[in-house]
Amino acid sequence: MMKNLRLPGLLLIALFLYTAVSAQTKQKRDLLTFEQFEEKLKAAGKNAQILDARLPEEYVQNHLEGAVSFNIANKADFEKESAKLDKNKPVFIYSIGNGRSGVLAKDLKNAGFQDVTEIPGGLSKWIGLGRPVISTVGKGLSKDEYTASLKSDKLVLVDFGSRYCPGCKKLAPTIDSLKTEQAGILKVINIEAYENKNLVKELGVVGLPTLVLYKNNEVIWKKTGSASKAEIEKILAGQTL
């Protein structure tokens, strides 16, 4: 009897896992490659409706040419602003990565927009690959200035991030903790990516946050995305043995 009861339960679990994996896979398939995105944007020409899903202050600092600020906080404003768009023309959306842009893309599709495309990798990849933006911030550190800052008899951990990036904010306490606890062996440098556009382009930083660990001015470890304190500590320990 128990075996008969367990079977439906196991089938339900299997179905749930399959559905979750299928949904995740479908979501990933929806994003074009960067090259495909550029081709589609170019083909759209003047019909392209480019939306910046970040905060207005982020938009002012750096944005794609022709983009409009489209950070909508409530349903009424969304309906008002989306009514200004043409549902028959293609829409291109970006945020730092694909967080806020993904939310906006879903909202627009639910509102009846048929052709909605996100920049794969978001503005961080766009800038990291050297694509142009309209900017009100300076060029930031030069490559020589950056290289000079790496000179140290300690390990040097560089944290490329943004004060607007959710993943960067989540990682910040870990980096601050390591900076204090590993002060004897570690120097930490924080780089605000969008205030150093030329530098992130030269270094190939195409996602935020990105951590780069140097030893004697040589890169010995690099990771884009989340990293646990234990993971970073393990890397540091391996370099001080």
Side-chain angles (χ1 to χ4, degrees), residues 185-222:
I185 64 165
L186 183 67
K187 174 182 177 180
V188 174
I189 299 174
N190 299 103
I191 301 290
E192 182 72 23
Y194 297 145
E195 294 176 2
N196 294 277
K197 297 185 296 298
N198 288 351
L199 183 62
V200 297
K201 173 188 173 182
E202 289 189 66
L203 297 177
V205 177
V206 294
L208 302 180
T210 288
L211 297 176
V212 187
L213 185 64
Y214 291 85
K215 185 175 184 179
N216 298 325
N217 276 30
E218 296 292 330
V219 177
I220 56 174
W221 179 74
K222 180 178 180 179

Side-chain angles (χ1 to χ4, degrees), residues 46-67:
K46 294 182 179 180
N47 286 324
Q49 302 175 106
I50 308 173
L51 307 182
D52 187 318
R54 304 171 302 148
L55 295 172
E57 61 190 271
E58 294 177 79
Y59 171 85
V60 170
Q61 292 168 3
N62 299 285
H63 63 265
L64 269 66
E65 183 177 3

Side-chain angles (χ1 to χ4, degrees), residues 30-229:
D30 286 341
L31 293 178
L32 302 177
T33 65
F34 196 86
E35 291 73 19
Q36 290 171 334
F37 172 83
E38 285 193 303
E39 290 175 5
K40 184 173 182 178
L41 180 61
K42 183 178 179 180
K46 294 182 179 180
N47 286 324
Q49 302 175 106
I50 308 173
L51 307 182
D52 187 318
R54 304 171 302 148
L55 295 172
E57 61 190 271
E58 294 177 79
Y59 171 85
V60 170
Q61 292 168 3
N62 299 285
H63 63 265
L64 269 66
E65 183 177 3
V68 297
S69 181
F70 208 87
N71 180 265
I72 308 301
N74 59 67
K75 184 177 180 180
D77 285 343
F78 173 80
E79 292 176 351
K80 178 182 176 182
E81 294 303 317
S82 61
K84 299 176 183 178
L85 303 174
D86 189 336
K87 292 184 179 180
N88 297 315
K89 293 182 179 180
V91 178
F92 300 87
I93 309 173
Y94 66 90
S95 53
I96 291 178
N98 290 112
R100 288 173 285 181
S101 64
V103 173
L104 179 55
K106 182 179 179 181
D107 289 343
L108 288 172
K109 288 176 182 177
N110 289 339
F113 288 81
Q114 299 299 313
D115 190 356
V116 180
T117 307
E118 294 177 67
I119 294 183
L123 188 65
S124 58
K125 188 164 186 175
W126 180 272
I127 290 177
L129 291 176
R131 302 306 188 261
V133 292
I134 305 300
S135 181
T136 59
V137 297
K139 296 180 179 179
L141 290 173
S142 68
K143 182 71 177 295
D144 288 341
E145 290 171 330
Y146 174 76
T147 301
S149 72
L150 300 175
K151 294 180 180 178
S152 176
D153 56 357
K154 302 178 182 180
L155 296 170
V156 180
L157 180 65
V158 184
D159 175 16
F160 290 91
S162 168
R163 57 186 174 275
Y164 304 105
C165 163
C168 304
K169 292 178 183 179
K170 186 176 180 180
L171 181 62
T174 294
I175 302 302
D176 290 342
S177 178
L178 290 169
K179 183 177 181 179
T180 300
E181 296 173 9
Q182 305 283 351
I185 64 165
L186 183 67
K187 174 182 177 180
V188 174
I189 299 174
N190 299 103
I191 301 290
E192 182 72 23
Y194 297 145
E195 294 176 2
N196 294 277
K197 297 185 296 298
N198 288 351
L199 183 62
V200 297
K201 173 188 173 182
E202 289 189 66
L203 297 177
V205 177
V206 294
L208 302 180
T210 288
L211 297 176
V212 187
L213 185 64
Y214 291 85
K215 185 175 184 179
N216 298 325
N217 276 30
E218 296 292 330
V219 177
I220 56 174
W221 179 74
K222 180 178 180 179
K223 185 173 184 182
T224 297
S226 62
S228 68
K229 185 177 181 182

